[in-house]
Amino acid sequence: MGTTERASKRKGVMFIVVATLGFSLIPILAQVGLSPKMTAGTLLFYRFFIAGILFFIYCLVTGRKVMLHSGKQYFFVIIAGCIYSAQCIFFFSSFNYISSSIGEILYHCYPLFVLILAYIVLKESITYNKVIGVILSIIGVSIVLYAPWSDAEIKGIVYVILTAAISAIYMVYTKKFVADIETTILTMYLCFTCSTVYLTYTLIQGEFVIPNEG
């Protein structure tokens, strides 16, 4: 392994660690923000709409071209956004039934789904290291499932497992159809797509609210 390749690998690992730390805060912040008035759909709308604006400003400041190259790319991005929207709504909704810590741990059964889908759709090989990684994640999740809970409901567990399965679909889908789009641009479009989905959903359900101090 050359110097450049090692540096690239270290950078990738660093990004994964930072992303993991950020993702670990999501359940905590979600439970803080959720209330009878502020539903999961409404909270997710504000999350993605604000994030989309920030990414848009960042793209403008850094001189990135925000327009995609074809209508086909827009179509693929919209589908990706809808898949990610489903993932998030199940994950946030699960916090109404189980604790954030339990939900976060259960979510990590997703490597099993990724391994299977990547093999079927992307024709990726199933290596020894991948199998070991999946086995370790399943063992960890199984230990949590075995532990007796007093505050966990089956509905919340099902929601998290659905989240993991949809996450796997999203990962495989993006690698197959939108891997050629720059990550920053793709994330901006995903944020705006998700915010549109949640705004539409909450308006139809009559759940949309504007936050206020009261």
Side-chain angles (χ1 to χ4, degrees):
M1 184 182 295
T3 303
T4 303
E5 188 176 352
R6 285 198 297 270
S8 179
K9 188 174 182 179
R10 284 197 296 269
K11 190 174 182 181
V13 171
M14 181 189 70
F15 284 156
I16 291 173
V17 171
V18 173
T20 302
L21 291 173
F23 191 80
S24 67
L25 293 175
I26 291 177
I28 299 171
L29 296 176
Q31 288 201 325
V32 170
L34 288 173
S35 67
K37 291 184 178 180
M38 182 63 71
T39 61
T42 305
L43 186 62
L44 285 166
F45 161 74
Y46 287 111
R47 171 194 173 188
F48 284 106
F49 183 67
I50 294 171
I53 291 176
L54 294 176
F55 273 108
F56 178 71
I57 293 172
Y58 176 78
C59 289
L60 292 182
V61 171
T62 56
R64 286 173 166 80
K65 295 182 179 179
V66 297
M67 302 300 293
L68 300 180
H69 298 302
S70 65
K72 192 175 182 179
Q73 282 190 326
Y74 283 107
F75 174 77
F76 286 146
V77 167
I78 290 173
I79 297 299
C82 291
I83 295 172
Y84 197 74
S85 297
Q87 168 197 328
C88 291
I89 195 68
F90 277 118
F91 195 46
F92 273 56
S93 296
S94 71
F95 301 143
N96 293 317
Y97 308 99
I98 59 177
S99 67
S100 58
S101 57
I102 294 297
E104 183 74 15
I105 294 171
L106 289 180
Y107 170 75
H108 285 86
C109 67
Y110 77 87
L112 174 62
F113 298 112
V114 174
L115 183 70
I116 296 172
L117 285 176
Y119 175 74
I120 295 172
V121 179
L122 302 177
K123 309 302 180 184
E124 291 186 0
S125 59
I126 298 179
T127 64
Y128 175 80
N129 288 337
K130 290 179 181 178
V131 172
I132 293 298
V134 168
I135 291 175
L136 290 174
S137 68
I138 296 302
I139 289 175
V141 171
S142 299
I143 291 173
V144 175
L145 283 172
Y146 181 77
W149 306 334
S150 59
D151 60 343
E153 297 184 31
I154 295 298
K155 193 172 184 179
I157 297 172
V158 171
Y159 278 177
V160 176
I161 294 175
L162 283 173
T163 300
I166 297 172
S167 293
I169 295 173
Y170 170 79
M171 291 176 190
V172 173
Y173 177 90
T174 53
K175 186 170 183 179
K176 185 174 180 64
F177 294 107
V178 294
D180 57 332
I181 303 175
E182 184 188 348
T183 303
T184 305
I185 303 298
L186 175 61
T187 305
M188 181 195 72
Y189 277 105
L190 288 176
C191 287
F192 283 129
T193 300
C194 290
S195 65
T196 302
V197 170
Y198 293 128
L199 178 61
T200 304
Y201 172 78
T202 53
L203 287 175
I204 292 175
Q205 295 295 317
E207 298 176 350
F208 183 78
V209 295
I210 298 175
N212 57 70
E213 295 182 359

